[in-house]
């Protein structure tokens, strides 16, 4: 039986390779994700080990606000007083202690007049502490005067600047001019560590610009005396400085920093694995269809095996063995492709991140286990139903011509209805917030069950819908034949179409959600934002762009300007809860520009010790006018504010508004947005150029009219949609393979029929048109299912998000029409090879084919 199975497998290797390609592509995503995260993880391990190579012990003050850059703001270290440095130096076992300033947020303006951007790595402003085994000057000298800086080679190259150039630098303060007096690099001929851009000032200037206070440091780097272990020195220093500081060894710092990066990478890894799951779900349909067709074609062969003594268990084993062989080969190929994809993505990531030095490409055990587990399990599970069907073939079938009769659709329809109902229930639970702490898992489970349920119901509707679609081509004999062929086996057509349905449905659903979000945000801004001009910039990292507060005062003096409001923003601890807070330069203008309505108290003025809150925040926290609320910002000491006004919540208003004076203690003590309302009759074109001139020293931001600002804010969703569409394109590629495979096997199955059609006068061109019509009908049917299911799922999500501000339901009719048009093209492409093969059939040989 084993030898018979192997011979049967080798006789059909081409058709099995086609089905195996689906597994290859899915496994490629799985193994590639693990290879990528392993490579980048080891790269960051090496980077942080180098960065803390000369640090035995590090002393840092505990941050006032715990957070992460993923929340929209860089983490601000609390300043370490110079007196603490003196205490550390006095600790026995300390050979040397150095006060270090190192804070993200120093941006240099390059030779082109634009800020040198960094997409990920920090932009550090530091104090020059001298050369070491790690840091070496490559050109020039150390900074000595207040207007002198040194930069690392990576930043000098990116900004196209050199020693002697005068450059602008943005920090906690507005643009200041400095002269580059030196360029430094790192041991091993490296231009940077981890792609970071670094600017080093004299210590007093670094303290003023990066920490906002003299005689303070961001941390203290300590070197142990000979014979003193890092751990012993850490404990001694911790005892000396007290509980307000975090004292760690260099090894601990390296591990913590690498762990933070790996946590961020794990999120990316989960995204890739999610798309791999979609690809494998589509691949399951393909493999199921392939083995079903093969079992139908081998009916007489399997019946003959039963007649000569093979048991049902041996027949099942034969089919499963074929699946195992396909799964093994596909897993090996997928693992190889995954290693290549992981290496390519790691290279692209390192390039995008500014020259990250990659560790060697490795293949972690998780990639190997994942590849073979996924490849084998998916293939075997998909082959189980056809295997069970094969075991039930009676021996008598070997003695007669056997056609595969249509089986009743009752059971599969009932099963589809039940599974669809389960999917709908899970989606309802997840989207209405009644799933407890498993909302995401519940929604994903609901989507999975919904897709499987619709796929099971597809045979019920395939015959009438396919017949209707095929009527378009019924004006010719090949068209009529193609229409009949596409509807002759509802199950096969349904499974083939379902593979395409999944990819199209996901793309359509995501498009509905994002287009609805764009429309809702744009409509809300158009209705609520009563400012003709907005000063803002596109955020490309953890730090939002900012500008000089003096711009607001100068803008208010321009003729035709009626109101000006500058908005500052930060994360703060408000009443013990981390909350986004804003500060306004003019709350009376803010109210008019955003149309905020008071629900209690006075929201037109704000004393230095007062605060305003939104109605939602007041309700959630039990606040009312007169409530006292402690607020801890990222800098400075905690203060208690009194609620003097409550305003109606909207999607454009912040939960908490503090007075402008509070912004001095924000992470970024400069406005990040400015809103300008013009007097009636004033033209935007008359004022906008004058505002642009005021922003000459703030190259990160620009002024735009309201429509352009709204387009800029919602345009970020377009980039997200494009990325999702590219990743989901893999599922559509697999679906195309499914159509090719189904048609190729169908042509083989109908060899004798095609020979008879050719014998009675069907020409080669007509034969090819018949196959193409069949493919187009199937692919358009799948795409039609996809746009309907996707639009339905997207509409359900939009309805569930109505309370979150997504109030407009936008159905992307143009995109859905494009999907249907592309499906027709996909059908033509997929039919090319099977159609050519059908046209080249030897007529006499085909008639004699058994």
């Amino acid at each position: 039986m084993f030898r018979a199975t192997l011979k049967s497998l080798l006789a059909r290797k081409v058709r099995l390779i086609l089905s195996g390609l689906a597994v290859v592509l899915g496994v490629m995503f799985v193994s590639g994700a693990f290879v990528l995260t392993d490579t980048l993880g080891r790269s960051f391990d090496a980077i942080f080990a180098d960065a803390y190579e000369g640090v035995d012990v590090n002393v840092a003050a505990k941050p006032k606000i715990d957070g992460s850059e993923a929340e929209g703001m860089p983490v601000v270290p609390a300043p370490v007083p110079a007196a603490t440095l003196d205490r550390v130096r006095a600790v026995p076992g300390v050979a040397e202690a150095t006060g270090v300033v190192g804070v993200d947020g120093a941006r240099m303006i390059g030779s082109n007049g634009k800020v040198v951007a960094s997409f990920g790595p920090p932009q550090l402003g530091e104090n020059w502490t001298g050369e070491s085994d790690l840091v070496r000057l490559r050109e020039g000298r150390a900074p000595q005067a207040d207007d002198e800086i040194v930069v690392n080679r990576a930043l000098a190259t990116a900004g196209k600047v050199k020693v002697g150039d005068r450059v602008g630098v943005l920090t906690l303060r507005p643009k200041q001019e400095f002269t580059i007096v030196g360029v430094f690099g790192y041991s091993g001929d490296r231009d940077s560590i981890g792609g970071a851009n670094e600017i080093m000032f004299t210590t007093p200037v670094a303290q003023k610009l990066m920490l906002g206070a003299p005689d303070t440091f961001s941390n203290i780097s300590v070197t142990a005396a000979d014979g003193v272990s890092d751990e012993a020195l850490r404990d001694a220093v911790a005892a000396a400085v007290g509980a307000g500081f975090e004292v760690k060894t260099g090894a601990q710092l390296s591990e913590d920093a690498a762990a933070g990066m790996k946590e961020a990478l794990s999120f990316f890894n989960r995204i890739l694995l999610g798309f791999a799951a979609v690809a494998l779900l589509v691949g399951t349909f393909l493999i199921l269809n392939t083995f079903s067709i093969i079992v139908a074609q081998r009916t007489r062969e399997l019946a003959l095996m039963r007649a000569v003594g093979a048991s049902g268990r041996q027949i099942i084993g034969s089919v499963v063995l074929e699946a195992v062989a396909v799964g093994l080969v596909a897993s090996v190929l997928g693992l190889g492709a995954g290693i290549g994809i992981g290496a390519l993505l790691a290279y692209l990531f390192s390039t995008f991140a500014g020259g990250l030095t990659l560790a060697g490409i490795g293949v972690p055990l998780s990639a190997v286990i994942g590849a073979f587990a996924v490849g084998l399990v998916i293939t075997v599970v998909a082959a189980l139903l056809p295997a069970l069907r094969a075991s039930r073939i009676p021996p008598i079938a070997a003695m007669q011509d056997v056609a595969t009769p249509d089986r009743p659709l009752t059971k599969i329809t009932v099963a589809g209805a039940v599974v669809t109902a389960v999917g709908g229930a899970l989606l309802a639970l997840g989207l209405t917030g009644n799933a407890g702490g498993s909302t995401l898992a519940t929604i994903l489970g609901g989507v999975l069950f919904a897709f499987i349920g619709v796929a099971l119901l597809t045979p019920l509707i395939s015959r009438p819908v396919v017949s209707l679609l095929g009527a378009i081509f019924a004006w010719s004999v090949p068209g009529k034949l193609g229409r009949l062929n596409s509807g002759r086996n509802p199950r096969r057509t349904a499974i083939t179409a379902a593979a395409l349905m999944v990819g199209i449905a996901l793309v359509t659903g995501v498009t509905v959600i994002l287009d609805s979000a764009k429309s809702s945000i744009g409509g809300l801004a158009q209705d609520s934002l009563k400012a003709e001009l907005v000063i803002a910039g596109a955020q490309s990292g953890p730090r939002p762009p900012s500008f000089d507060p003096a711009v607001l005062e100068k803008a208010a003096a321009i003729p035709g300007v009626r109101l000006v409001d500058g908005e500052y923003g930060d994360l703060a601890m408000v009443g013990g809860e981390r909350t986004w807070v804003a500060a306004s330069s003019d709350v009376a203008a803010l109210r008019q520009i955003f149309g905020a309505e008071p629900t209690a108290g006075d929201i037109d003025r704000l004393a230095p010790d007062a605060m305003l809150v939104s109605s939602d925040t007041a309700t959630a926290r039990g606040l009312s006018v007169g409530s006292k609320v402690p607020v801890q910002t990222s800098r400075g000491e905690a203060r208690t504010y009194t609620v003097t006004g409550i305003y109606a919540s909207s999607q454009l208003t912040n939960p908490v508004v503090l007075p402008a004076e509070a912004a001095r203690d924000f992470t970024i003590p400069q406005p990040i947005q400015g809103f300008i309302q013009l007097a009636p009759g004033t033209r935007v074109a008359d004022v906008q150029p004058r505002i642009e001139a005021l922003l000459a020293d703030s190259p990160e931001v620009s002024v735009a009219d309201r429509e352009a600002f709204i387009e800029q804010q919602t345009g970020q969703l377009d980039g997200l949609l494009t990325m999702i569409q590219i990743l989901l394109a893999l599922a559509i590629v697999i679906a195309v393979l499914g159509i090719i495979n189904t048609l190729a096997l169908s042509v083989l199955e109908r060899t004798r029929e095609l020979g008879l059609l050719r014998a009675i006068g069907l020409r080669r061109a007509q034969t090819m048109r018949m196959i193409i019509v069949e493919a187009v009908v199937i692919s358009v049917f799948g795409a039609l299912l996809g746009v309907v299911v996707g639009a339905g799922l997207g509409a359900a999500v939009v309805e569930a998000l109505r309370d979150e501000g997504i109030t407009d339901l936008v159905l992307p009719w143009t995109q859905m029409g494009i999907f249907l048009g592309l499906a027709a093209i996909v059908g033509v492409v997929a039919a090319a090879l099977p159609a050519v093969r059908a046209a080249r059939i030897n007529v006499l040989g085909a008639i004699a084919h058994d």
Side-chain angles (χ1 to χ4, degrees):
M1 195 69 189
F2 178 76
R3 288 195 298 271
T5 300
L6 288 181
K7 288 182 178 179
S8 176
L9 180 64
L10 292 175
R12 296 183 307 279
K13 48 184 176 292
V14 174
R15 70 191 82 162
L16 291 175
I17 285 174
L18 284 174
S19 60
L21 279 176
V23 182
V24 169
L25 294 173
V27 169
M28 178 184 72
F29 248 136
V30 173
S31 55
F34 286 118
V35 169
L36 172 64
T37 50
D38 174 75
T39 301
L40 293 181
R42 288 184 293 105
S43 300
F44 284 116
D45 285 340
I47 287 169
F48 292 119
D50 285 344
Y52 298 109
E53 181 181 358
V55 179
D56 294 333
V57 172
N58 184 79
V59 180
K62 294 180 179 178
K64 298 180 183 295
I65 303 293
D66 290 328
S68 68
E69 294 185 351
E71 294 176 285
M73 280 290 177
V75 178
V76 177
V80 178
T84 304
L85 177 60
D86 296 333
R87 288 206 304 272
V88 171
R89 284 173 173 165
V91 173
V94 172
E96 183 180 0
T98 305
V100 176
V101 177
V103 182
D104 192 2
R107 294 94 68 208
M108 188 186 78
I109 300 173
S111 61
N112 61 356
K114 298 181 180 179
V115 171
V116 180
S118 173
F119 299 95
Q123 297 175 293
L124 298 174
E126 304 166 301
N127 62 327
W128 177 259
T129 58
E131 292 184 285
S132 65
D133 292 340
L134 181 64
V135 179
R136 289 289 178 185
L137 279 171
R138 295 185 182 174
E139 298 178 35
R141 58 173 176 83
Q144 298 171 355
D146 288 351
D147 66 341
E148 294 178 347
I149 58 173
V150 294
V151 299
N152 66 357
R153 172 63 68 188
L155 179 56
T157 301
K160 297 181 180 179
V161 296
K162 60 185 183 302
V163 172
D165 285 351
R166 194 79 174 165
V167 297
V169 177
L170 305 173
T171 57
L172 291 180
R173 301 200 175 183
K175 173 186 170 184
Q176 295 189 27
E177 296 284 338
F178 293 88
T179 300
I180 299 175
V181 297
V183 175
F184 66 93
Y186 291 91
S187 58
D189 198 31
R190 291 171 294 173
D191 294 342
S192 71
I193 289 185
N197 293 332
E198 295 175 86
I199 302 173
M200 292 193 179
F201 311 87
T202 61
T203 296
V205 173
Q207 291 170 333
K208 179 177 68 174
L209 297 183
M210 303 310 302
L211 295 174
D215 299 322
T216 56
F217 301 97
S218 57
N219 61 287
I220 298 172
S221 178
V222 185
T223 303
D226 292 339
V228 179
S229 69
D230 294 352
E231 290 74 16
L233 183 60
R234 175 197 61 196
D235 296 341
V237 170
V241 298
F245 296 87
E246 294 179 341
V247 184
K248 298 181 179 181
T249 64
Q252 286 178 308
L253 285 175
S254 177
E255 290 174 4
D256 291 348
M261 291 303 304
K262 289 177 181 177
E263 178 62 27
L265 289 174
S266 68
F267 174 74
F268 185 59
N269 189 45
R270 287 192 289 270
I271 291 176
L272 289 178
L273 292 176
F275 285 104
V278 173
L280 290 168
L281 174 63
V282 175
T284 301
F285 288 117
L286 194 161
I287 298 165
L288 174 63
N289 212 20
T290 300
F291 277 93
S292 296
I293 296 173
I294 290 174
V295 166
Q297 291 175 353
R298 295 174 59 199
T299 298
R300 292 191 66 181
E301 175 189 334
L302 294 173
L304 184 60
M305 288 184 178
R306 292 295 310 279
V308 298
S311 65
R313 181 177 299 178
Q314 286 177 309
I315 295 297
I316 293 175
S318 173
V319 177
V320 170
L321 180 60
E322 291 187 14
V324 169
V326 172
L328 280 174
V329 173
S331 298
V332 171
L333 295 177
L335 177 60
I339 294 171
I341 289 294
L344 175 61
L345 290 176
Y347 170 76
L348 293 175
F349 183 93
S350 68
T351 302
F352 186 72
L356 172 68
T357 302
L358 287 177
I361 301 298
V363 184
L365 184 61
S366 57
V368 178
I369 293 175
F372 284 94
V374 167
L376 284 173
V377 169
I378 292 296
T379 312
V380 172
V381 167
L384 278 179
L385 282 177
L388 290 172
R389 198 175 304 140
S391 69
R392 295 170 184 160
I393 295 175
I396 194 66
M399 305 175 190
Q400 58 188 358
D401 288 330
V402 179
T404 305
D406 285 342
R407 287 167 289 148
L409 299 176
T410 306
K411 292 182 180 179
I412 196 171
T413 301
V414 172
V418 171
V419 173
T420 303
V422 171
L426 290 175
L427 282 170
L429 284 175
L431 295 174
T432 55
N434 296 318
S438 305
T439 300
L440 180 60
T442 303
I443 292 175
L444 292 177
V447 170
L448 177 62
F449 275 89
F451 280 141
I452 295 175
V454 172
L456 292 174
L457 290 174
T458 303
L460 182 67
I461 61 173
S462 66
R463 184 166 286 168
V465 175
V466 164
S467 179
L468 183 63
L469 291 173
I472 300 172
F473 306 98
W475 50 269
S476 66
V477 172
K480 290 179 182 178
L481 291 172
R483 172 192 181 189
L484 294 173
N485 288 334
S486 58
R488 72 199 297 181
N489 193 324
R491 294 172 185 265
R492 182 182 303 176
T493 299
I495 294 174
T496 306
L500 186 59
M501 174 201 72
V502 173
I504 297 293
L506 288 173
V507 173
T508 303
V510 171
T511 304
V512 168
I513 296 168
L514 294 183
D515 281 358
S516 299
K518 284 179 58 179
S519 176
S520 301
I521 294 171
L524 180 64
Q526 287 284 3
D527 295 339
S528 304
L529 181 60
K530 298 176 176 61
E532 285 79 14
L533 292 171
V534 180
I535 301 172
Q539 186 170 346
S540 59
R543 181 188 180 93
S546 59
F547 58 95
D548 189 345
V551 170
L552 300 171
E553 298 177 9
K554 295 175 182 177
I558 295 175
V561 172
R562 180 171 178 267
L563 294 173
V564 175
D565 174 59
E567 184 175 298
Y568 305 75
D570 200 6
L571 282 170
M573 296 298 292
V574 179
E577 296 182 28
R578 193 164 52 195
T579 306
W580 180 265
V581 299
S584 171
S585 64
D586 185 348
V587 292
L590 176 69
R591 174 190 173 181
Q592 295 184 55
I593 288 172
F594 284 99
E597 294 296 332
T599 61
D602 183 4
I603 66 171
D604 284 326
R605 58 188 58 84
L606 201 55
D609 60 348
M611 66 186 294
L612 307 177
V613 297
S614 68
S615 55
D616 287 348
T617 303
T619 301
R621 301 194 180 192
L623 301 177
S624 59
V625 173
S627 297
K628 305 289 186 180
V629 183
V631 177
Q632 173 64 68
T633 51
S634 57
R635 306 177 193 273
E637 300 303 320
R639 293 190 58 180
T640 299
Y641 291 87
T642 301
V643 176
T644 59
I646 300 174
Y647 50 89
S649 298
S650 81
Q651 297 301 315
L652 292 182
T653 56
N654 288 288
V656 175
V657 177
L658 300 177
E661 294 83 355
R664 290 195 296 263
D665 292 329
F666 282 10
T667 300
I668 301 173
Q670 298 176 38
I672 56 179
Q673 286 183 328
F675 301 95
I676 300 168
Q677 187 182 97
L678 304 181
T682 304
R683 296 194 313 153
V684 169
D686 294 335
V687 178
Q688 187 170 354
R690 302 187 66 175
I691 303 294
E692 288 174 347
L694 297 177
L695 295 171
D697 288 340
S698 302
E700 291 180 302
V701 299
S702 60
V703 60
D705 60 36
R706 179 170 52 194
E707 287 70 24
F709 170 72
I710 294 171
E711 180 63 29
Q712 180 190 58
Q713 299 304 305
T714 58
Q716 300 174 14
L717 296 176
D718 292 330
L720 176 62
L721 177 60
T722 300
M723 182 188 72
I724 293 173
Q725 287 174 338
I726 290 172
L727 290 172
L728 287 176
L730 176 65
I732 297 174
V733 169
I734 295 175
V736 173
L737 290 176
I739 297 173
I740 295 173
N741 210 20
T742 299
L743 291 174
L745 293 172
S746 180
V747 167
L748 185 64
E749 185 179 50
R750 295 172 4 223
T751 299
R752 188 175 183 184
E753 174 189 321
L754 291 170
L756 290 172
L757 288 172
R758 290 291 313 283
I760 61 175
L762 193 68
R763 297 189 299 274
R764 286 188 174 184
Q766 290 177 311
T767 303
M768 294 178 67
R769 281 182 8 226
M770 177 183 69
I771 301 297
I772 290 172
V773 167
E774 183 177 351
V776 169
V777 169
I778 292 174
S779 59
V780 171
F781 173 51
L784 184 62
L785 279 176
V787 296
V788 171
V789 173
L793 290 174
V797 173
V798 169
E799 179 62 29
L801 295 176
R802 182 170 292 275
D803 292 339
E804 303 299 323
I806 302 181
T807 55
D808 296 346
L809 174 60
V810 177
L811 295 178
W813 296 107
T814 301
Q815 287 93 327
M816 290 192 291
I818 291 173
F819 293 155
L820 293 175
L822 289 176
I825 296 173
V826 162
V828 174
V829 172
L833 290 177
V836 170
R837 182 172 183 177
R840 292 178 176 175
I841 285 179
N842 181 283
V843 177
L844 294 178
I847 294 173
H849 181 79
D850 188 3

